[in-house]
Amino acid sequence: MLLDSLLAKVFYKLFAIFFSLYCTITGTTIATPSTEDIIKADPDANLSFAIIADPQVGNYQLGRYAYFMGGAKDLRNSEGLDALLIAGDIAENGLAVEYQLFYDELGDLGLRYIACEGNHDIRLRLYSQSLKRFNGFVNELNGDEDAVSFHHSEMLNGYKFIVLGSDRTEFEENYLSDEQLEWLDEELASCENTPTFVMVHQPLKDTHGLPDVWNSPIDSAGSIGNQSDALKEILLSHKNVIFISGHEHTGFGEYTYERISDGDRYFDSVCLPSFSVTNKDGSENGHCLGYIAEVYDDSVQFRARDMLNGKWLPDYDIELPVEGILR
């Protein structure tokens, strides 16, 4: 188990009891996704992976946890995926018991896990404590000791994944130090001939409907924060970048995808709906929404999925042709 104290283990057992009573008393049934059209990786794809954001598993969020368990079944039914990407806010309060609850549902899929921290994962404790707990969780998922920092990169089937993370405790935003931004610049410079996936929890400011969808007059509200402009400039300075974020809890619709450009420079940006938290401001605001991404020689395709019900949502698919990425 991931639980690192007797108290956490007691809380975990109590949660299981309370959740069982909650389902009995309220008549709550955990959704069972359809298995008529399960997630199957295309054998012709060079790389296939699922992407979700904002599970925000909480040991007192019983209704939310029921949704999480339902969507997790769809991922457990999947076949042939190479990886699961999680764009932050895995745990509601960064508690060991919350990571254990996630692990119990999605910790044995037999694929690679690539995860970034979100503000809910780190905001309530010392930075060193958050770093140790989160990286311990990721390492437990992958069965190795590779995760030692909130930012790192790795290669999968010949494609680079770059994970960004805060360099200090923040409550809502994300602080990227100059050193991390320089590291990102170097990482992107080394892989401009193939699609490169850059993931961080919060989107850039003034993108994906911000700040309006955050219901705030503050320009940077809901975004990565003060480093947004510097991060944007680095992303624009390199070819072949696909930027992935979450945080907004905005459903599938007009705010999910946009091409961010400055003159003839651009990159593609995808902001994921929430997996377990109720979504808003979209055309499709259901629970357990996410993408199945498939990478080919001539395109990168994002297939929208309702994982609670086990069905595809083709109206929200994204296709990025090679000529739209390599330029």
Side-chain angles (χ1 to χ4, degrees):
M1 296 180 74
L2 297 167
L3 307 183
D4 51 9
S5 70
L6 177 60
L7 184 61
K9 293 176 182 178
V10 171
F11 275 130
Y12 179 70
K13 295 299 183 184
L14 288 174
F15 177 86
I17 294 170
F18 288 145
F19 184 68
S20 178
L21 290 172
Y22 170 82
C23 292
T24 300
I25 294 170
T26 63
T28 300
T29 57
I30 299 170
T32 301
S34 172
T35 56
E36 294 180 0
D37 191 11
I38 66 171
I39 300 168
K40 290 185 179 181
D42 183 351
D44 293 327
N46 299 329
L47 175 68
S48 299
F49 55 92
I51 323 172
I52 64 173
D54 299 271
Q56 282 185 226
V57 175
N59 62 336
Y60 59 91
Q61 301 278 0
L62 301 184
R64 181 188 300 174
Y65 187 64
Y67 285 123
F68 172 75
M69 292 179 73
K73 290 180 181 179
D74 195 41
L75 288 168
R76 290 203 305 272
N77 289 337
S78 67
E79 297 179 1
L81 295 176
D82 297 298
L84 171 62
L85 270 63
I86 314 159
D89 276 3
I90 292 169
E92 174 68 19
N93 293 302
L95 298 174
V97 65
E98 295 169 339
Y99 291 116
Q100 183 68 53
L101 290 167
F102 182 100
Y103 185 90
D104 285 353
E105 294 300 315
L106 288 175
D108 192 22
L109 299 183
L111 40 69
R112 185 69 182 173
Y113 295 85
I114 302 175
C116 66
E117 54 77 24
N119 57 298
H120 279 265
D121 293 308
I122 69 169
R123 67 184 182 180
L124 297 181
R125 56 192 43 81
L126 292 175
Y127 184 82
S128 59
Q129 294 174 329
S130 298
L131 185 68
K132 179 179 179 181
R133 178 169 292 170
F134 188 86
N135 286 335
F137 164 71
V138 174
N139 286 333
E140 189 74 20
L141 287 171
N142 285 316
D144 58 32
E145 298 295 328
D146 290 353
V148 296
S149 170
F150 281 144
H151 67 275
H152 69 278
S153 69
E154 61 181 281
M155 299 294 295
L156 192 59
N157 291 15
Y159 297 92
K160 180 170 281 192
F161 291 81
I162 300 174
V163 174
L164 306 180
S166 190
D167 286 312
R168 69 186 185 201
T169 298
E170 294 282 356
F171 191 79
E172 196 69 48
E173 297 181 340
N174 198 320
Y175 174 74
L176 304 181
S177 65
D178 290 342
E179 290 78 11
Q180 184 176 169
L181 290 171
E182 291 173 6
W183 168 85
L184 171 63
D185 197 24
E186 294 171 358
E187 287 286 323
L188 288 172
S190 71
C191 57
E192 294 193 346
N193 293 322
T194 55
T196 302
F197 303 92
V198 179
M199 183 169 66
V200 69
H201 180 56
Q202 297 93 338
L204 297 170
K205 71 178 184 181
D206 297 320
T207 66
H208 300 286
L210 290 176
D212 293 345
V213 296
W214 208 251
N215 297 316
S216 173
I218 300 173
D219 184 45
S220 63
S223 78
I224 199 167
N226 291 334
Q227 287 73 47
S228 183
D229 289 341
L231 175 57
K232 178 181 176 181
E233 178 59 30
I234 291 172
L235 297 175
L236 284 168
S237 298
H238 297 276
K239 301 175 183 177
N240 197 20
V241 174
I242 299 174
F243 184 64
I244 297 170
S245 63
H247 187 59
E248 289 189 9
H249 304 169
T250 301
F252 280 138
E254 63 177 312
Y255 302 125
T256 304
Y257 163 77
E258 65 180 276
R259 174 160 289 177
I260 297 173
S261 62
D262 179 16
D264 61 354
R265 304 183 303 162
Y266 63 85
F267 60 92
D268 295 296
S269 182
V270 178
C271 186
L272 292 156
S274 165
F275 193 73
S276 305
V277 182
T278 300
N279 286 298
K280 56 182 175 54
D281 295 322
S283 304
E284 172 56 62
N285 292 318
H287 290 85
C288 302
L289 303 178
Y291 275 113
I292 305 301
E294 293 175 320
V295 185
Y296 302 89
D297 290 339
D298 60 354
S299 67
V300 177
Q301 299 183 15
F302 291 82
R303 301 178 65 199
R305 179 81 172 179
D306 172 355
M307 298 179 194
L308 185 63
N309 295 295
K311 64 180 183 180
W312 300 104
L313 301 172
D315 288 347
Y316 308 105
D317 288 356
I318 304 166
E319 181 173 356
L320 304 175
V322 165
E323 58 266 28
I325 300 171
L326 302 179
R327 56 191 189 277

